[in-house]
Amino acid sequence: MEHIVSAVAPGSIAEELEIEPGDVLVSVNGQEPEDVFDYRYLMNEEEVLVVIRKPDGEEWELEIEKEYEDDLGMEFENGLMDDYRSCRNKCMFCFIDQLPKGMRDTLYFKDDDSRLSFLQGNYLTLTNMNEHDLEKIIYYKLSPINISFQATNPELRCKMLHNRFAGDIMDKVQRLKAAGIVMNGQIVLCRGVNDGEELDRSIRDLVTLMPELQSVSVVPVGLTRYRDGLYPLEPFTKEDACRVLDLIHSWQEKLVKEYGTHFIHAGDEWYILAERSMPEETTYDGYLQLENGVGMVRLLKEEVDACLADLPGDDRKRKVTIATGELAAPYLREHVASIRGKYPGVEAQVITVKNEFFGGKITVAGLLTGQDLVNQLKGKDLGDRLLLTNHMLKSGEPVFLDDVTVDDVQNALQIKVSIVESSGNDFVNCILNK
């Protein structure tokens, strides 16, 4: 694959050398980088010989002296500098297999790429890697790596991933542990499949990978209404959630006493389904699994409370609407009540939007679509502004999962939309300030 330069940072070494978008990086110190990690490794020298090919075919040899870790300031058309690795599993719980037809092509791509795990925090099954890939993680010390375990029972893991080679997971992570690679793990729990005794076994096996494996989250499988022809999975009940939490809490008690860490963490959804209070902040060990839905409710409360503690309160008038999923709505109403305690003139109604697009079993705000927002909010008095979480949008773009844009929603509802970032401070500020 050609490594085509897409942008050059102003004031960078590359700009000084007259490298331009459209140029091709041929080699560094006589080697053609296989991917972005090869490139970064080769660039970690004080003297480098870079070969650049211009659009007319002319090749420039550039001898560069720089600080050891200085980058040249080039960006490439392909951020990985290599093809993205797709997943060859047919997991019984795969969310992508539960998408309806007709969505944008990129949503149907199943990645299982160790480089994306390092760069973006994606979870890997380690089944779509060859020996070279595993050795590269070890050689470049790529940490942390996020691993999707599901089960440590070899036969069960092969069944869940529908891959007869998926049973060697413990052998692979033992190699990563021996090399000092820091890891985080997840278990997507499926009712009647990898819960109960199998979950207990998985936790027991994964504890042996500490401290390199620093945390493991347990999250319930997400089930959409588009499951025709797929494995017949059922949603968890309140009683199921209580049993899951009891098992996880019993392990946490033992691990805190022995290792000083909780290690195994339950996703926020379990507490909501079980109708139990969220754990205290100290149980999350620094929120290592925040992006996996572990501790988001607790952290938002802590941040909102801290923000309000520093505010004097006043009599300002304001009316806004917060639209969110069924999961978050009760907690956001509690935060609104806290805000109104200091700002009684501020009205902030929280409207629960049901996920008609994917089905009622999907309750998280991050999977709400633009069309559901428009259909369920149209005709309502939304006040001066509509607040939506950034989790609803495609990363870096004002686009919902169904390709409806923020502008489309604004135009359809005739109201200004503000996108709220993840922090409690931003949540409070978006409610209080125009």
Side-chain angles (χ1 to χ4, degrees):
M1 168 177 284
E2 287 192 332
H3 306 313
I4 302 172
V5 177
S6 61
V8 174
S12 64
I13 297 173
E15 185 181 59
E16 291 180 13
L17 295 172
E18 299 183 3
I19 297 173
E20 300 173 316
D23 292 350
V24 175
L25 173 68
V26 177
S27 65
V28 179
N29 293 337
Q31 297 184 49
E32 180 182 350
E34 179 180 296
D35 58 24
V36 65
F37 297 117
D38 285 340
Y39 171 70
R40 290 182 179 179
Y41 177 77
L42 292 168
M43 290 302 300
N44 280 344
E45 300 288 347
E46 293 181 351
E47 297 181 3
V48 292
L49 176 64
V50 174
V51 177
I52 294 289
R53 186 170 66 246
K54 306 299 283 187
D56 62 3
E58 182 183 1
E59 291 193 353
W60 293 4
E61 285 193 358
L62 304 171
E63 295 182 2
I64 303 169
E65 293 185 5
K66 62 182 187 63
E67 296 297 321
Y68 179 77
E69 292 185 345
D70 279 358
D71 185 64
L72 300 189
M74 295 185 293
E75 294 181 14
F76 298 93
E77 287 187 357
N78 184 320
L80 283 181
M81 301 176 70
D82 192 18
D83 291 330
Y84 289 83
R85 311 275 176 81
S86 62
C87 180
R88 296 187 295 273
N89 299 322
K90 190 70 174 175
C91 299
M92 62 170 62
F93 52 84
C94 180
F95 193 82
I96 294 175
D97 288 342
Q98 303 178 69
L99 294 178
K101 296 179 180 179
M103 303 182 76
R104 60 177 178 268
D105 290 344
T106 53
L107 292 176
Y108 300 100
F109 180 76
K110 303 178 184 180
D111 73 76
D112 198 20
D113 198 310
S114 59
R115 298 162 299 185
L116 290 178
S117 179
F118 178 72
L119 292 171
Q120 301 176 6
N122 298 15
Y123 276 83
L124 299 170
T125 65
L126 300 188
T127 58
N128 297 286
M129 300 174 62
N130 55 32
E131 181 65 21
H132 174 68
D133 297 326
L134 197 62
E135 286 295 335
K136 180 171 275 192
I137 292 175
I138 294 171
Y139 181 74
Y140 288 140
K141 299 290 185 184
L142 300 181
S143 290
I145 292 292
N146 295 330
I147 299 172
S148 203
F149 287 100
Q150 319 324 349
T152 57
N153 178 338
E155 292 78 17
L156 178 58
R157 193 167 195 266
C158 289
K159 175 185 176 182
M160 292 189 71
L161 275 60
H162 199 66
N163 184 333
R164 62 191 178 96
F165 301 110
D168 63 351
I169 182 67
M170 290 300 290
D171 292 337
K172 289 178 177 176
V173 291
Q174 286 286 2
R175 288 178 62 187
L176 295 176
K177 172 182 169 62
I181 303 300
V182 176
M183 298 169 279
N184 292 294
Q186 76 166 2
I187 295 173
V188 177
L189 213 60
C190 299
R191 186 170 187 251
V193 180
N194 60 336
D195 53 357
E197 292 182 3
E198 288 294 347
L199 176 59
D200 189 56
R201 169 181 174 164
S202 294
I203 297 172
R204 184 178 299 106
D205 290 343
L206 295 176
V207 165
T208 67
L209 300 171
M210 295 171 65
E212 286 78 13
L213 181 60
Q214 58 183 1
S215 71
V216 175
S217 61
V218 179
V219 297
V221 62
L223 302 175
T224 79
R225 61 190 176 97
Y226 301 98
R227 290 196 56 83
D228 291 346
L230 300 179
Y231 190 91
L233 293 174
E234 297 180 355
F236 286 95
T237 65
K238 176 182 177 180
E239 292 72 24
D240 295 327
C242 289
R243 284 191 288 270
V244 169
L245 291 175
D246 289 344
L247 176 60
I248 289 175
H249 291 165
S250 68
W251 271 103
Q252 287 182 335
E253 289 175 10
K254 290 185 287 187
L255 294 171
V256 166
K257 290 178 182 178
E258 188 168 353
Y259 300 102
T261 178
H262 296 81
F263 179 69
I264 185 78
H265 300 275
D268 292 354
E269 290 177 71
W270 295 114
Y271 294 95
I272 296 170
L273 182 57
E275 298 180 4
R276 293 187 181 180
S277 299
M278 292 292 165
E280 294 302 312
E281 187 171 32
T282 54
T283 65
Y284 290 106
D285 299 336
Y287 298 107
L288 294 170
Q289 292 275 354
L290 193 63
E291 294 302 316
N292 221 10
V294 177
M296 294 181 73
V297 171
R298 170 56 64 186
L299 180 59
L300 183 63
K301 174 175 172 50
E302 297 295 329
E303 291 177 339
V304 168
D305 289 348
C307 180
L308 286 175
D310 293 332
L311 296 177
D314 56 42
D315 59 355
R316 73 185 68 185
K317 303 292 184 184
R318 185 154 159 75
K319 184 176 181 180
V320 300
T321 294
I322 304 159
T324 189
E326 295 173 278
L327 200 66
Y331 300 96
L332 297 189
R333 291 190 181 101
E334 290 179 6
H335 301 327
V336 166
S338 297
I339 293 170
R340 296 199 68 205
K342 283 197 169 184
Y343 298 90
V346 171
E347 296 181 52
Q349 64 172 332
V350 177
I351 296 182
T352 301
V353 178
K354 188 176 177 61
N355 200 319
E356 301 288 355
F357 187 88
F358 287 116
K361 296 173 185 175
I362 301 297
T363 58
V364 295
L367 292 176
L368 287 176
T369 58
Q371 59 190 272
D372 277 343
L373 289 168
V374 170
N375 292 339
Q376 295 177 48
L377 298 178
K378 203 159 193 177
K380 296 182 182 296
D381 180 7
L382 303 177
D384 306 316
R385 188 161 301 211
L386 173 64
L387 309 184
L388 303 174
T389 175
N390 65 329
H391 294 300
M392 295 181 188
L393 304 178
K394 183 180 178 182
S395 179
E397 297 182 34
V399 181
F400 297 90
L401 280 170
D402 56 353
D403 284 338
V404 173
T405 67
V406 171
D407 282 344
D408 292 335
V409 172
Q410 290 184 140
N411 293 334
L413 299 177
Q414 290 296 292
I415 191 171
K416 176 69 176 176
V417 172
S418 289
I419 303 301
V420 183
E421 299 301 322
S422 300
S423 74
N425 187 68
D426 199 50
F427 177 77
V428 173
N429 286 334
C430 282
I431 291 175
L432 295 180
N433 302 310
K434 293 183 179 181

